[in-house]
Every structure is written in C-alpha cells, then in structure tokens.
Amino acid sequence: MGTSITFKRPDGKEASGYLANAARGDAPCVVVIQEWWGLQDQIKGMCDRFALAGFDALAPDLYGGAVVPYHDTDAANRQMTSLNFMDATTQSVRGAVQYLARNGAKVGLTGFCMGGAVTIIGATKIPELTAGVVFYGIPPEAAAKPADVRIPLQAHFASKDDWCTPESVDTWEKAMQAAGKSLELHRYEADHGFANEQRMMVHDREAAELAWSRATSFFHKHLG
C-alpha cells in the first residue's frame, strides 16, 4: 500500500522511510517509530493501517536498512545500543515530522518498544508535534524529563513486562502528574510487545485492538 521515500533531515542529510497515504488529500499525519528489530514489515503494516484509518503515516528507518530477525535479541540489542537516540530523534524523526507537516497538517508521533522511548524524547525535543502515543517504552529521565514534555501523551503498557516494568511505569506516571502534563495511561494484562501480530509468543489480539482503537481516537481528537 505504501512506498519507500527519502526526505531531508534538519541538518540537510537525507533519511529514508516508508510512507503510506490516506485516501483524503488533507489528512492528519502520524510518524511511526520502529521497535528494536528495525523497520520490519510489521511496522510498515502499521503505517498502512494508519492510512486506512485516515492518516498519512511515515516510518523513518532509524537503522539505515538493517532489519533484525525476531529471534535474534542479541543483534537487536546491539543495533539499539549503537543508535544515537538524540540524533535519531532530533534529526531523522524530526525530519519525518517536518516532511509530513510541510502542507500545514498536524502531526502526531507514535512508537513501539524502543520507538516508545523515542516518542517520549520526541515529545520534549520536536516543536512541530501536536500529540504522541507511546507503546511500552520509557527513556532514561536524563534523555527526556517529564517537565519538558510539550504535547499531550497517551501511553500503553503491559503488566507482564520485564523491560518497561510496572514499577518503572508507575514512577514515570507520577513524574508526569507532578509536572502537570497531559497523560492518558492504559495498562493491559499482556506481555511486552503485545501489539506486534508477527510475534505470536507475545501478541495479544484483544489488548492490541483495544490499544489501537484508543490510539486512533486520541490522534483524531488532537490531529483532526
């Protein structure tokens, strides 16, 4: 449904990504950030699904073409730990936001796992954003202080998550509340990665569909 494109980063360098357009010409827009597996077909499928829901959706390729097989967590960890998160967010992700916003559309940001953490960083660093939806990812506070969040956020977390643990989610939620930020947070009796239908060991269809309906409603509310 979508297509591969290139776009400019704020520093003038080129980045690549996968773009899926809605049927209407003046659609609101969403930037979709990959898990630590890279720009998998599943993430491209999320862009296609956003397009069917009425959004132009662009997933920037933060790994420069590298895609990690789902079984190889060691390789995924190496890719994620070698990523310069600040450069990825303020350059590649912001470039994608600016590309979608060029005709005046409102732009939201969403991401999964690693992409959830990038979404929160983007909420503090990318001025062109209007709203964000986080899926089971939290960055270190040094990378994105709750007090610096600029936009309304919706967040989805799993109760059986050993990466974004329930305790870390509670701590982040309290910090967001203490900073007076707009946060709508949902918890699910599911595993980390529950929205990825290609990973059957963790996918939870009921939780994934509920989170999807909440996310699209949230974006329609804030983006149009």
Side-chain angles (χ1 to χ4, degrees):
M1 179 173 175
T3 186
S4 296
I5 67 162
T6 58
F7 56 90
K8 292 286 188 184
R9 298 169 17 133
D11 62 8
K13 296 178 182 177
E14 283 206 336
S16 62
Y18 179 86
L19 174 67
N21 289 118
R24 56 183 272 200
D26 58 345
C29 302
V30 178
V31 172
V32 182
I33 307 301
Q34 66 200 48
E35 297 177 311
W36 70 344
W37 312 107
L39 188 50
Q40 282 272 5
D41 286 343
Q42 189 269 340
I43 294 295
K44 295 177 181 178
M46 293 300 297
C47 290
D48 294 341
R49 195 173 182 191
F50 270 116
L52 290 172
F55 302 90
D56 290 346
L58 172 57
D61 184 354
L62 302 188
Y63 286 176
V67 179
V68 181
Y70 285 129
H71 68 273
D72 199 343
T73 55
D74 288 341
N77 189 55
R78 286 194 300 272
Q79 286 286 350
M80 184 177 74
T81 55
S82 66
L83 181 69
N84 182 328
F85 274 73
M86 286 303 164
D87 178 79
T89 304
T90 62
Q91 295 297 326
S92 297
V93 178
R94 189 180 180 193
V97 172
Q98 291 175 335
Y99 177 87
L100 292 176
R102 68 196 187 282
N103 294 324
K106 291 182 178 179
V107 183
L109 179 62
T110 191
F112 304 81
C113 176
M114 179 188 90
V118 169
T119 297
I120 296 174
I121 298 172
T124 70
K125 303 288 186 186
I126 302 175
E128 295 88 353
L129 285 172
T130 298
V133 176
V134 178
F135 282 84
Y136 34 78
I138 301 174
E141 187 167 336
K145 294 181 175 62
D148 295 333
V149 170
R150 304 164 179 255
I151 56 175
L153 291 177
Q154 184 187 75
H156 306 273
F157 291 101
S159 60
K160 295 180 282 186
D161 193 328
D162 56 6
W163 187 56
C164 276
T165 64
E167 294 77 18
S168 66
V169 173
D170 290 344
T171 298
W172 180 70
E173 181 184 29
K174 289 174 183 175
M176 287 285 289
Q177 291 171 341
K181 301 301 177 178
S182 175
L183 175 65
E184 176 190 322
L185 193 144
H186 301 281
R187 294 172 173 83
Y188 304 83
E189 275 297 318
D191 293 297
H192 181 84
F194 66 82
N196 188 336
E197 71 280 0
Q198 290 189 345
R199 299 185 61 226
M200 295 309 297
M201 288 182 66
V202 296
H203 178 56
D204 185 311
R205 183 173 181 179
E206 184 177 353
E209 291 304 313
L210 179 56
W212 171 258
S213 67
R214 287 168 167 168
T216 51
S217 295
F218 183 82
F219 276 142
H220 278 302
K221 173 185 174 182
H222 289 283
L223 306 180

PDB file of all heavy atoms in Angstrom, residues 135-161:
ATOM      1  N   PHE A 135       3.927   3.261  23.110  1.00  0.00           N
ATOM      2  CA  PHE A 135       3.702   1.843  23.375  1.00  0.00           C
ATOM      3  C   PHE A 135       4.934   1.251  24.055  1.00  0.00           C
ATOM      4  O   PHE A 135       6.007   1.161  23.472  1.00  0.00           O
ATOM      5  CB  PHE A 135       3.436   1.070  22.070  1.00  0.00           C
ATOM      6  CG  PHE A 135       2.045   1.237  21.525  1.00  0.00           C
ATOM      7  CD1 PHE A 135       1.729   2.333  20.734  1.00  0.00           C
ATOM      8  CD2 PHE A 135       1.054   0.314  21.803  1.00  0.00           C
ATOM      9  CE1 PHE A 135       0.449   2.493  20.217  1.00  0.00           C
ATOM     10  CE2 PHE A 135      -0.235   0.465  21.296  1.00  0.00           C
ATOM     11  CZ  PHE A 135      -0.536   1.555  20.498  1.00  0.00           C
ATOM     12  N   TYR A 136       4.759   0.883  25.314  1.00  0.00           N
ATOM     13  CA  TYR A 136       5.726   0.151  26.150  1.00  0.00           C
ATOM     14  C   TYR A 136       7.194   0.523  25.910  1.00  0.00           C
ATOM     15  O   TYR A 136       8.017  -0.321  25.584  1.00  0.00           O
ATOM     16  CB  TYR A 136       5.518  -1.368  26.050  1.00  0.00           C
ATOM     17  CG  TYR A 136       5.045  -1.923  24.704  1.00  0.00           C
ATOM     18  CD1 TYR A 136       5.913  -2.100  23.633  1.00  0.00           C
ATOM     19  CD2 TYR A 136       3.708  -2.273  24.522  1.00  0.00           C
ATOM     20  CE1 TYR A 136       5.478  -2.617  22.434  1.00  0.00           C
ATOM     21  CE2 TYR A 136       3.255  -2.787  23.318  1.00  0.00           C
ATOM     22  CZ  TYR A 136       4.155  -2.952  22.273  1.00  0.00           C
ATOM     23  OH  TYR A 136       3.707  -3.456  21.068  1.00  0.00           O
ATOM     24  N   GLY A 137       7.481   1.815  26.100  1.00  0.00           N
ATOM     25  CA  GLY A 137       8.857   2.296  26.044  1.00  0.00           C
ATOM     26  C   GLY A 137       9.006   3.566  26.862  1.00  0.00           C
ATOM     27  O   GLY A 137       8.177   4.475  26.742  1.00  0.00           O
ATOM     28  N   ILE A 138      10.035   3.626  27.714  1.00  0.00           N
ATOM     29  CA  ILE A 138      10.332   4.820  28.504  1.00  0.00           C
ATOM     30  C   ILE A 138      11.829   5.079  28.434  1.00  0.00           C
ATOM     31  O   ILE A 138      12.620   4.172  28.720  1.00  0.00           O
ATOM     32  CB  ILE A 138       9.915   4.656  29.981  1.00  0.00           C
ATOM     33  CG1 ILE A 138       8.416   4.361  30.112  1.00  0.00           C
ATOM     34  CG2 ILE A 138      10.269   5.921  30.779  1.00  0.00           C
ATOM     35  CD1 ILE A 138       7.989   4.039  31.535  1.00  0.00           C
ATOM     36  N   PRO A 139      12.248   6.290  28.059  1.00  0.00           N
ATOM     37  CA  PRO A 139      13.679   6.586  28.029  1.00  0.00           C
ATOM     38  C   PRO A 139      14.186   6.929  29.419  1.00  0.00           C
ATOM     39  O   PRO A 139      13.397   7.216  30.332  1.00  0.00           O
ATOM     40  CB  PRO A 139      13.738   7.814  27.119  1.00  0.00           C
ATOM     41  CG  PRO A 139      12.456   8.528  27.404  1.00  0.00           C
ATOM     42  CD  PRO A 139      11.432   7.448  27.656  1.00  0.00           C
ATOM     43  N   PRO A 140      15.501   6.927  29.618  1.00  0.00           N
ATOM     44  CA  PRO A 140      16.044   7.431  30.878  1.00  0.00           C
ATOM     45  C   PRO A 140      15.622   8.888  31.074  1.00  0.00           C
ATOM     46  O   PRO A 140      15.497   9.645  30.104  1.00  0.00           O
ATOM     47  CB  PRO A 140      17.559   7.332  30.683  1.00  0.00           C
ATOM     48  CG  PRO A 140      17.754   6.353  29.571  1.00  0.00           C
ATOM     49  CD  PRO A 140      16.555   6.479  28.690  1.00  0.00           C
ATOM     50  N   GLU A 141      15.403   9.276  32.322  1.00  0.00           N
ATOM     51  CA  GLU A 141      14.936  10.638  32.573  1.00  0.00           C
ATOM     52  C   GLU A 141      15.942  11.673  32.075  1.00  0.00           C
ATOM     53  O   GLU A 141      15.560  12.781  31.692  1.00  0.00           O
ATOM     54  CB  GLU A 141      14.648  10.853  34.058  1.00  0.00           C
ATOM     55  CG  GLU A 141      14.010  12.208  34.334  1.00  0.00           C
ATOM     56  CD  GLU A 141      13.428  12.338  35.720  1.00  0.00           C
ATOM     57  OE1 GLU A 141      13.099  11.299  36.326  1.00  0.00           O
ATOM     58  OE2 GLU A 141      13.302  13.473  36.197  1.00  0.00           O
ATOM     59  N   ALA A 142      17.215  11.313  32.053  1.00  0.00           N
ATOM     60  CA  ALA A 142      18.226  12.241  31.545  1.00  0.00           C
ATOM     61  C   ALA A 142      18.005  12.574  30.079  1.00  0.00           C
ATOM     62  O   ALA A 142      18.409  13.639  29.603  1.00  0.00           O
ATOM     63  CB  ALA A 142      19.622  11.648  31.741  1.00  0.00           C
ATOM     64  N   ALA A 143      17.350  11.648  29.342  1.00  0.00           N
ATOM     65  CA  ALA A 143      17.100  11.872  27.912  1.00  0.00           C
ATOM     66  C   ALA A 143      15.822  12.661  27.671  1.00  0.00           C
ATOM     67  O   ALA A 143      15.699  13.334  26.637  1.00  0.00           O
ATOM     68  CB  ALA A 143      17.024  10.530  27.182  1.00  0.00           C
ATOM     69  N   ALA A 144      14.871  12.583  28.600  1.00  0.00           N
ATOM     70  CA  ALA A 144      13.579  13.267  28.407  1.00  0.00           C
ATOM     71  C   ALA A 144      12.913  13.454  29.761  1.00  0.00           C
ATOM     72  O   ALA A 144      12.275  12.539  30.277  1.00  0.00           O
ATOM     73  CB  ALA A 144      12.679  12.472  27.476  1.00  0.00           C
ATOM     74  N   LYS A 145      13.075  14.616  30.324  1.00  0.00           N
ATOM     75  CA  LYS A 145      12.450  14.911  31.620  1.00  0.00           C
ATOM     76  C   LYS A 145      10.946  15.134  31.427  1.00  0.00           C
ATOM     77  O   LYS A 145      10.535  15.845  30.510  1.00  0.00           O
ATOM     78  CB  LYS A 145      13.077  16.154  32.246  1.00  0.00           C
ATOM     79  CG  LYS A 145      14.544  15.991  32.628  1.00  0.00           C
ATOM     80  CD  LYS A 145      15.073  17.270  33.254  1.00  0.00           C
ATOM     81  CE  LYS A 145      16.500  17.086  33.743  1.00  0.00           C
ATOM     82  NZ  LYS A 145      17.438  16.776  32.646  1.00  0.00           N
ATOM     83  N   PRO A 146      10.106  14.562  32.286  1.00  0.00           N
ATOM     84  CA  PRO A 146       8.662  14.806  32.183  1.00  0.00           C
ATOM     85  C   PRO A 146       8.318  16.287  32.146  1.00  0.00           C
ATOM     86  O   PRO A 146       7.381  16.690  31.436  1.00  0.00           O
ATOM     87  CB  PRO A 146       8.114  14.115  33.437  1.00  0.00           C
ATOM     88  CG  PRO A 146       9.053  12.969  33.657  1.00  0.00           C
ATOM     89  CD  PRO A 146      10.410  13.530  33.306  1.00  0.00           C
ATOM     90  N   ALA A 147       9.050  17.105  32.873  1.00  0.00           N
ATOM     91  CA  ALA A 147       8.757  18.542  32.893  1.00  0.00           C
ATOM     92  C   ALA A 147       8.942  19.192  31.532  1.00  0.00           C
ATOM     93  O   ALA A 147       8.392  20.271  31.272  1.00  0.00           O
ATOM     94  CB  ALA A 147       9.649  19.244  33.921  1.00  0.00           C
ATOM     95  N   ASP A 148       9.706  18.540  30.639  1.00  0.00           N
ATOM     96  CA  ASP A 148       9.993  19.110  29.321  1.00  0.00           C
ATOM     97  C   ASP A 148       9.038  18.635  28.233  1.00  0.00           C
ATOM     98  O   ASP A 148       9.161  19.053  27.074  1.00  0.00           O
ATOM     99  CB  ASP A 148      11.434  18.793  28.908  1.00  0.00           C
ATOM    100  CG  ASP A 148      12.463  19.459  29.809  1.00  0.00           C
ATOM    101  OD1 ASP A 148      12.132  20.524  30.396  1.00  0.00           O
ATOM    102  OD2 ASP A 148      13.579  18.928  29.946  1.00  0.00           O
ATOM    103  N   VAL A 149       8.118  17.720  28.565  1.00  0.00           N
ATOM    104  CA  VAL A 149       7.152  17.225  27.580  1.00  0.00           C
ATOM    105  C   VAL A 149       6.269  18.375  27.116  1.00  0.00           C
ATOM    106  O   VAL A 149       5.697  19.104  27.926  1.00  0.00           O
ATOM    107  CB  VAL A 149       6.308  16.075  28.162  1.00  0.00           C
ATOM    108  CG1 VAL A 149       5.142  15.724  27.239  1.00  0.00           C
ATOM    109  CG2 VAL A 149       7.184  14.844  28.405  1.00  0.00           C
ATOM    110  N   ARG A 150       6.144  18.551  25.778  1.00  0.00           N
ATOM    111  CA  ARG A 150       5.436  19.695  25.199  1.00  0.00           C
ATOM    112  C   ARG A 150       4.013  19.383  24.760  1.00  0.00           C
ATOM    113  O   ARG A 150       3.250  20.314  24.454  1.00  0.00           O
ATOM    114  CB  ARG A 150       6.190  20.178  23.944  1.00  0.00           C
ATOM    115  CG  ARG A 150       7.644  20.540  24.117  1.00  0.00           C
ATOM    116  CD  ARG A 150       8.312  20.604  22.748  1.00  0.00           C
ATOM    117  NE  ARG A 150       9.721  20.974  22.796  1.00  0.00           N
ATOM    118  CZ  ARG A 150      10.200  22.169  22.461  1.00  0.00           C
ATOM    119  NH1 ARG A 150       9.379  23.110  22.058  1.00  0.00           N
ATOM    120  NH2 ARG A 150      11.491  22.416  22.512  1.00  0.00           N
ATOM    121  N   ILE A 151       3.655  18.103  24.641  1.00  0.00           N
ATOM    122  CA  ILE A 151       2.413  17.720  23.963  1.00  0.00           C
ATOM    123  C   ILE A 151       1.609  16.734  24.813  1.00  0.00           C
ATOM    124  O   ILE A 151       2.154  16.081  25.704  1.00  0.00           O
ATOM    125  CB  ILE A 151       2.716  17.062  22.595  1.00  0.00           C
ATOM    126  CG1 ILE A 151       3.652  15.858  22.777  1.00  0.00           C
ATOM    127  CG2 ILE A 151       3.297  18.084  21.623  1.00  0.00           C
ATOM    128  CD1 ILE A 151       3.930  15.067  21.518  1.00  0.00           C
ATOM    129  N   PRO A 152       0.302  16.607  24.553  1.00  0.00           N
ATOM    130  CA  PRO A 152      -0.480  15.568  25.225  1.00  0.00           C
ATOM    131  C   PRO A 152       0.019  14.175  24.803  1.00  0.00           C
ATOM    132  O   PRO A 152       0.310  13.939  23.622  1.00  0.00           O
ATOM    133  CB  PRO A 152      -1.904  15.805  24.731  1.00  0.00           C
ATOM    134  CG  PRO A 152      -1.911  17.148  24.100  1.00  0.00           C
ATOM    135  CD  PRO A 152      -0.526  17.417  23.644  1.00  0.00           C
ATOM    136  N   LEU A 153       0.093  13.275  25.779  1.00  0.00           N
ATOM    137  CA  LEU A 153       0.528  11.906  25.502  1.00  0.00           C
ATOM    138  C   LEU A 153      -0.533  10.911  25.946  1.00  0.00           C
ATOM    139  O   LEU A 153      -1.197  11.099  26.968  1.00  0.00           O
ATOM    140  CB  LEU A 153       1.829  11.585  26.243  1.00  0.00           C
ATOM    141  CG  LEU A 153       3.111  12.280  25.788  1.00  0.00           C
ATOM    142  CD1 LEU A 153       4.277  11.874  26.688  1.00  0.00           C
ATOM    143  CD2 LEU A 153       3.431  11.950  24.336  1.00  0.00           C
ATOM    144  N   GLN A 154      -0.672   9.856  25.143  1.00  0.00           N
ATOM    145  CA  GLN A 154      -1.393   8.657  25.541  1.00  0.00           C
ATOM    146  C   GLN A 154      -0.361   7.540  25.598  1.00  0.00           C
ATOM    147  O   GLN A 154       0.550   7.493  24.769  1.00  0.00           O
ATOM    148  CB  GLN A 154      -2.482   8.314  24.527  1.00  0.00           C
ATOM    149  CG  GLN A 154      -3.350   7.124  24.922  1.00  0.00           C
ATOM    150  CD  GLN A 154      -4.304   6.728  23.804  1.00  0.00           C
ATOM    151  OE1 GLN A 154      -3.900   6.126  22.813  1.00  0.00           O
ATOM    152  NE2 GLN A 154      -5.577   7.088  23.941  1.00  0.00           N
ATOM    153  N   ALA A 155      -0.480   6.635  26.581  1.00  0.00           N
ATOM    154  CA  ALA A 155       0.536   5.591  26.730  1.00  0.00           C
ATOM    155  C   ALA A 155      -0.099   4.242  27.025  1.00  0.00           C
ATOM    156  O   ALA A 155      -1.109   4.162  27.732  1.00  0.00           O
ATOM    157  CB  ALA A 155       1.509   5.966  27.843  1.00  0.00           C
ATOM    158  N   HIS A 156       0.520   3.188  26.482  1.00  0.00           N
ATOM    159  CA  HIS A 156       0.030   1.819  26.616  1.00  0.00           C
ATOM    160  C   HIS A 156       1.160   0.931  27.137  1.00  0.00           C
ATOM    161  O   HIS A 156       2.215   0.844  26.503  1.00  0.00           O
ATOM    162  CB  HIS A 156      -0.471   1.300  25.266  1.00  0.00           C
ATOM    163  CG  HIS A 156      -1.491   2.197  24.628  1.00  0.00           C
ATOM    164  ND1 HIS A 156      -2.837   2.098  24.894  1.00  0.00           N
ATOM    165  CD2 HIS A 156      -1.358   3.239  23.766  1.00  0.00           C
ATOM    166  CE1 HIS A 156      -3.490   3.030  24.212  1.00  0.00           C
ATOM    167  NE2 HIS A 156      -2.611   3.741  23.525  1.00  0.00           N
ATOM    168  N   PHE A 157       0.921   0.277  28.279  1.00  0.00           N
ATOM    169  CA  PHE A 157       1.948  -0.558  28.890  1.00  0.00           C
ATOM    170  C   PHE A 157       1.390  -1.917  29.271  1.00  0.00           C
ATOM    171  O   PHE A 157       0.189  -2.064  29.544  1.00  0.00           O
ATOM    172  CB  PHE A 157       2.524   0.131  30.125  1.00  0.00           C
ATOM    173  CG  PHE A 157       3.336   1.357  29.810  1.00  0.00           C
ATOM    174  CD1 PHE A 157       2.793   2.617  29.964  1.00  0.00           C
ATOM    175  CD2 PHE A 157       4.639   1.241  29.343  1.00  0.00           C
ATOM    176  CE1 PHE A 157       3.525   3.753  29.681  1.00  0.00           C
ATOM    177  CE2 PHE A 157       5.383   2.374  29.037  1.00  0.00           C
ATOM    178  CZ  PHE A 157       4.832   3.633  29.208  1.00  0.00           C
ATOM    179  N   ALA A 158       2.270  -2.903  29.299  1.00  0.00           N
ATOM    180  CA  ALA A 158       1.902  -4.274  29.636  1.00  0.00           C
ATOM    181  C   ALA A 158       2.261  -4.579  31.088  1.00  0.00           C
ATOM    182  O   ALA A 158       3.334  -4.190  31.559  1.00  0.00           O
ATOM    183  CB  ALA A 158       2.620  -5.249  28.704  1.00  0.00           C
ATOM    184  N   SER A 159       1.387  -5.282  31.779  1.00  0.00           N
ATOM    185  CA  SER A 159       1.638  -5.599  33.183  1.00  0.00           C
ATOM    186  C   SER A 159       2.669  -6.715  33.347  1.00  0.00           C
ATOM    187  O   SER A 159       3.282  -6.843  34.403  1.00  0.00           O
ATOM    188  CB  SER A 159       0.338  -5.989  33.873  1.00  0.00           C
ATOM    189  OG  SER A 159      -0.226  -7.125  33.248  1.00  0.00           O
ATOM    190  N   LYS A 160       2.862  -7.516  32.289  1.00  0.00           N
ATOM    191  CA  LYS A 160       3.849  -8.611  32.345  1.00  0.00           C
ATOM    192  C   LYS A 160       5.070  -8.230  31.502  1.00  0.00           C
ATOM    193  O   LYS A 160       5.472  -8.945  30.591  1.00  0.00           O
ATOM    194  CB  LYS A 160       3.216  -9.915  31.858  1.00  0.00           C
ATOM    195  CG  LYS A 160       2.089 -10.408  32.748  1.00  0.00           C
ATOM    196  CD  LYS A 160       1.482 -11.706  32.255  1.00  0.00           C
ATOM    197  CE  LYS A 160       0.535 -11.505  31.085  1.00  0.00           C
ATOM    198  NZ  LYS A 160      -0.161 -12.740  30.681  1.00  0.00           N
ATOM    199  N   ASP A 161       5.666  -7.087  31.837  1.00  0.00           N
ATOM    200  CA  ASP A 161       6.760  -6.514  31.046  1.00  0.00           C
ATOM    201  C   ASP A 161       7.992  -6.428  31.930  1.00  0.00           C
ATOM    202  O   ASP A 161       7.987  -5.762  32.961  1.00  0.00           O
ATOM    203  CB  ASP A 161       6.358  -5.119  30.551  1.00  0.00           C
ATOM    204  CG  ASP A 161       7.283  -4.573  29.474  1.00  0.00           C
ATOM    205  OD1 ASP A 161       8.483  -4.892  29.503  1.00  0.00           O
ATOM    206  OD2 ASP A 161       6.801  -3.831  28.609  1.00  0.00           O
TER     207      ASP A 161
END
